[in-house]
Amino acid sequence: MIVPMKKVFLVVLEKGLKDTLKKLRKLGLVHLEQVEGAGPKLDSLKNELVQIQNAISLLSEQKPPKGTKDVPVSTDLPMTRRLEIANEILALSEKKKECLAQISADSVECEKFGKWGSVDPSDFEYLKEKGIMLSLYEIPTDRYSSIGEDVGTLLVNSDKNQTRFLVIGEDGERSAGLPPEAYKINLPTLSTDKLNERVKENKKAIKDIEDKLLAARCYLPLLNDAAESYSKDIEFETVYSGMGKDADPEAENVPLGALAWISGYIPTDDLEALKSEAKLQSWALQWQDPADDDENVPTKLKNNKLVNLIYPVSDFLGTVPGYHEYDISNWFLLFFTIFFAMIFGDAGYGALLSVVAIFGIFSAVAKKKAVAPIMKLLLLIGVATMVWGAVTCTWFGIDPTKLPPLLTSLSVPALSNAVSKGLVKAAGIPSYLSGEQWVKENLQIFCFSLALIQLSIAHLKGIARYHKSLKCVGEFGSLIMLWGMFYIVLSMVVDGVRFPLGAEGAFVIGGVPLPTICIGLIGAGFFLSFCFSNYAGSVLKSILESCKNIVSVLLGVVNVFSDIVSYIRLWAVALAGSAISDTVNTMAGPMLGKAIFFLGILLLVFGHGLNMVLNVLSVIVHGVRLNTLEFSTHLGMSWSGFKYKPFSEK
């Protein structure tokens, strides 16, 4: 459930404002409305936090050798010293960047003169002082002979591509006798020997820096604590500098009766504690229920331990219902578990997930630690996957004919892969369908039935929410339109013979063919939805609003069809995963009875492991989507909320 909130307004004296905020933070109950803080102290705190975070990032990138542990350091280091350590780490990083840049530049120079041998610009300067001008040139070897006889040259060396030579006497102006292909080589900034030496020195310096950074990993816990402390200080300073005030509390002469004020939200059950503190501290306090159009109300969810298992998924997705929306955590968990089981669709995979979860749970219990919620969730979805895999007779993609009879007997005939192999007898298969086709259609019907159930729940919740308004009639119209469209989907997508749209061969209720009833439900549902879905006190205004959005209203009928059909992805994705399993088994099978059996085992492990990873991605893309899009759309949810985070010391 979404915990009811009260909006509170707090007015206090500016005198001792910081102490007041500290007491409010110690209370840790009020989610403050966002304020825009400013000031040099706040800017300084933010800059220092960035420095610490950058240092943490640098140290986290350092990978210590296996088996080594960080040396613990004293936790009594003051915050100023921790900031100094962060700056020292950043300085080391900057020095490393400088060394790398210098190595890159020097290496380019050394590579350029690698075939010239040792080149020292001071030698050329010495010769110049003696009146001997020398310039370095390179030219394609086959063009060296084209150099004019008036050009004094001195050959250095040559290979099949390039010839290197010196031009004697050139000072600034290029000699006229040099062909265009000859290009001048500028002297290096230092001798090539010194450049090589500097590269070695910088590489050694980098190694020393990396050793220091690696040794500095011992400060990571302290820096993480410092970052958390700075974050709290920034939050405090933001509130202090951003809340409403009669005067600047930092000024020399603050009026005696100057006031400061701020607003926020508190769970209704905690209001009495805030009232008691306000009375004790002589704070002025007012409270009220949040307005229907208030978009700043935080969301606090409260559920039982079972429903709480879905929180790792919602936290990963970052989905939070708005305060005025629904808490669908229980339905999310139920259908997410079903969708996960159907997408993975393999009892063998479910068993592996369950084993991992059980190991994680027992490991935590043995260490006397709290069991991670993700492990409990993993056990739940692992068991659900085993159940669904057993129902459909899917075990690591193995052909049902090669499974023990016990496993095939666990399956449900209407959904079992063993039916097509004749291993499980099934009644009621139409004569025009094969066993395999019949099971396929049944799985599709199961998917669409899940759609009908989940989307019906959405509209039933809407009816319950608006039961005091005629808007509930519009929700009822959407509900019966959904039921009518369900039959249309079965006819058009699954089997037009089993579910005919005409009267011939159709099931009859009270003398009326079922297709006629379903079409009537769609028409009646559309009429009720058109007239009452926008109801806000006037039926006429609701109809006019629907007329204004007539295109969207008409498309809404199509959307109901597409939303139901969307659930077929559960069958389609599971079918793709099953095909991958079968392919892996087919490839690895011939290897298992030969000398290269270990290659077959590796292929099985890799293939099925990859398939499980792909299934996890499919659950995120498809299984989650059905909850957060199709189901939520019919609920009218936009997931526009944000978590309740009280102003506290924690």
Side-chain angles (χ1 to χ4, degrees):
M1 61 171 284
I2 295 177
V3 176
M5 290 280 174
K6 293 289 185 181
K7 186 169 185 178
V8 295
F9 304 88
L10 199 64
V11 181
V12 300
L13 290 172
E14 276 198 48
K15 184 178 180 181
L17 180 57
K18 285 192 174 182
D19 289 335
T20 299
L21 287 178
K22 288 178 181 177
K23 291 173 182 176
L24 184 64
R25 185 169 68 171
K26 186 176 182 180
L27 188 64
L29 295 176
V30 183
H31 177 109
L32 298 178
E33 284 198 292
Q34 187 174 359
V35 294
E36 296 293 334
K41 183 175 181 180
L42 182 59
D43 293 339
S44 176
L45 287 171
K46 288 181 177 179
N47 290 333
E48 290 171 358
L49 175 60
V50 169
Q51 293 169 11
I52 292 174
Q53 289 174 333
N54 289 341
I56 291 172
S57 178
L58 283 169
L59 293 183
S60 299
E61 293 173 0
Q62 309 304 312
K63 303 301 179 185
K66 290 184 179 180
T68 60
K69 294 183 178 180
D70 296 330
V71 179
V73 295
S74 172
T75 58
D76 297 331
L77 288 180
M79 204 60 64
T80 53
R81 177 54 188 148
R82 300 186 191 196
L83 182 61
E84 289 175 0
I85 291 171
N87 287 327
E88 290 169 4
I89 292 168
L90 294 177
L92 286 172
S93 177
E94 286 301 314
K95 179 62 178 176
K96 180 180 177 180
K97 290 179 182 178
E98 292 173 5
C99 290
L100 287 171
Q102 190 65 64
I103 288 173
S104 178
D106 291 347
S107 297
V108 169
E109 286 281 87
C110 291
E111 185 178 356
K112 184 168 71 172
F113 291 96
K115 294 184 179 181
W116 282 87
S118 179
V119 179
D120 190 341
S122 63
D123 293 341
F124 287 80
E125 189 63 30
Y126 174 79
L127 292 174
K128 183 177 180 181
E129 292 174 358
K130 300 298 182 181
I132 302 173
M133 310 293 183
L134 295 177
S135 301
L136 284 68
Y137 276 87
E138 288 186 1
I139 192 172
T141 299
D142 59 356
R143 296 290 294 156
Y144 182 68
S145 59
S146 64
I147 298 175
E149 294 183 358
D150 58 326
V151 180
T153 62
L154 181 61
L155 179 65
V156 176
N157 59 48
S158 179
D159 54 42
K160 64 178 182 178
N161 295 319
Q162 293 287 327
T163 295
R164 285 156 285 279
F165 62 96
L166 299 173
V167 174
I168 303 171
E170 183 180 88
D171 185 16
E173 295 294 329
R174 180 184 176 95
S175 300
L178 287 172
E181 293 84 355
Y183 56 93
K184 187 175 182 179
I185 305 297
N186 294 322
L187 290 171
T189 54
L190 291 174
S191 71
T192 52
D193 291 340
K194 290 182 178 179
L195 288 175
N196 282 314
E197 185 63 30
R198 191 160 68 179
V199 167
K200 293 178 182 178
E201 291 174 356
N202 281 322
K203 286 183 177 179
K204 183 178 181 301
I206 289 174
K207 179 64 171 60
D208 292 340
I209 290 172
E210 289 176 344
D211 290 342
K212 290 179 180 178
L213 290 174
L214 196 59
R217 277 182 55 87
C218 62
Y219 294 112
L220 262 176
L222 295 181
L223 293 180
N224 283 320
D225 289 343
E228 187 174 339
S229 177
Y230 265 90
S231 296
K232 285 297 179 183
D233 290 345
I234 289 171
E235 180 188 31
F236 185 90
E237 189 62 29
T238 299
V239 173
Y240 175 71
S241 61
M243 63 189 300
K245 306 181 189 72
D246 282 336
D248 182 4
E250 301 297 330
E252 293 184 3
N253 298 313
V254 179
L256 186 61
L259 300 175
W261 55 90
I262 199 166
S263 59
Y265 301 88
I266 188 171
T268 301
D269 293 344
D270 295 328
L271 182 60
E272 287 301 320
L274 178 61
K275 289 165 65 175
S276 299
E277 186 69 17
K279 184 176 181 180
L280 181 65
Q281 303 298 337
S282 299
W283 300 338
L285 177 66
Q286 183 182 8
W287 61 91
Q288 65 184 36
D289 291 328
D292 291 340
D293 59 350
D294 192 341
E295 299 178 352
N296 297 317
V297 189
T299 301
K300 182 180 180 181
L301 301 178
K302 184 179 180 181
N303 290 292
N304 58 49
K305 292 182 179 180
L306 176 61
V307 176
N308 287 349
L309 294 181
I310 197 61
Y311 289 165
V313 177
S314 58
D315 290 344
F316 171 76
L317 297 172
T319 53
V320 181
Y323 178 74
H324 299 291
E325 295 181 337
Y326 302 96
D327 176 18
I328 60 169
S329 299
N330 50 350
W331 298 113
F332 199 124
L333 176 64
L334 172 63
F335 286 103
F336 175 80
T337 302
I338 295 172
F339 297 159
F340 187 100
M342 292 180 67
I343 289 174
F344 260 69
D346 193 298
Y349 292 174
L352 291 177
L353 295 177
S354 299
V355 169
V356 171
I358 292 171
F359 177 80
I361 291 171
F362 276 100
S363 178
V365 171
K367 296 177 181 178
K368 297 182 179 180
K369 294 182 179 179
V371 178
I374 189 64
M375 286 296 149
K376 298 177 182 178
L377 177 63
L378 186 63
L379 179 60
L380 174 64
I381 57 182
V383 171
T385 304
M386 286 181 64
V387 171
W388 179 255
V391 165
T392 59
C393 196
T394 308
W395 298 83
F396 291 112
I398 299 173
D399 190 304
T401 58
K402 299 178 181 178
L403 290 173
L406 175 63
L407 297 183
T408 57
S409 66
L410 294 176
S411 64
V412 175
L415 304 173
S416 175
N417 294 320
V419 168
S420 61
K421 305 294 184 180
L423 301 175
V424 175
K425 294 182 179 180
I429 301 178
S431 58
Y432 64 91
L433 288 178
S434 65
E436 184 177 1
Q437 184 66 21
W438 181 67
V439 170
K440 169 189 169 184
E441 289 187 0
N442 289 340
L443 287 169
Q444 293 176 347
I445 294 171
F446 186 83
C447 292
F448 296 142
S449 298
L450 282 176
L452 180 65
I453 294 170
Q454 188 175 30
L455 300 183
S456 293
I457 289 170
H459 292 295
L460 289 171
K461 289 179 74 68
I463 292 172
R465 181 172 189 171
Y466 301 115
H467 70 281
K468 295 182 179 180
S469 167
L470 286 179
K471 196 169 184 177
C472 72
V473 179
E475 287 288 344
F476 178 74
S478 298
L479 178 63
I480 62 175
M481 183 164 56
L482 175 71
W483 292 347
M485 194 64 75
F486 173 70
Y487 185 86
I488 304 299
V489 170
L490 295 183
S491 177
M492 298 182 68
V493 179
V494 180
D495 191 339
V497 177
R498 292 173 71 181
F499 307 99
L501 286 179
E504 185 178 351
F507 187 75
V508 178
I509 301 177
V512 182
L514 183 57
T516 303
I517 295 175
C518 292
I519 293 173
L521 288 175
I522 294 173
F526 176 78
F527 175 77
L528 294 176
S529 179
F530 187 88
C531 294
F532 298 101
S533 62
N534 297 305
Y535 181 81
S538 171
V539 176
L540 180 59
K541 289 182 179 179
S542 178
I543 294 174
L544 290 175
E545 189 65 29
S546 295
C547 290
K548 290 179 184 177
N549 303 293
I550 187 64
V551 175
S552 298
V553 172
L554 292 174
L555 287 176
V557 181
V558 179
N559 287 339
V560 174
F561 179 88
S562 64
D563 286 346
I564 297 174
V565 172
S566 184
Y567 282 69
I568 202 172
R569 68 182 67 235
L570 298 172
W571 166 77
V573 174
L575 186 64
S578 178
I580 293 174
S581 296
D582 181 62
T583 301
V584 171
N585 293 340
T586 301
M587 294 172 62
M591 303 180 190
L592 298 179
K594 300 179 181 179
I596 56 172
F597 71 93
F598 63 92
L599 292 179
I601 294 174
L602 288 176
L603 181 57
L604 286 173
V605 172
F606 174 78
H608 286 290
L610 178 61
N611 195 23
M612 292 183 71
V613 172
L614 293 175
N615 283 338
V616 170
L617 296 177
S618 297
V619 169
I620 295 173
V621 174
H622 302 290
V624 170
R625 171 204 162 102
L626 294 175
N627 278 304
T628 57
L629 185 59
E630 277 81 0
F631 183 43
S632 298
T633 299
H634 284 254
L635 279 167
M637 287 183 62
S638 59
W639 299 98
S640 58
F642 52 93
K643 281 188 175 183
Y644 163 75
K645 293 182 179 179
F647 183 57
S648 68
E649 295 177 342
K650 296 181 181 179

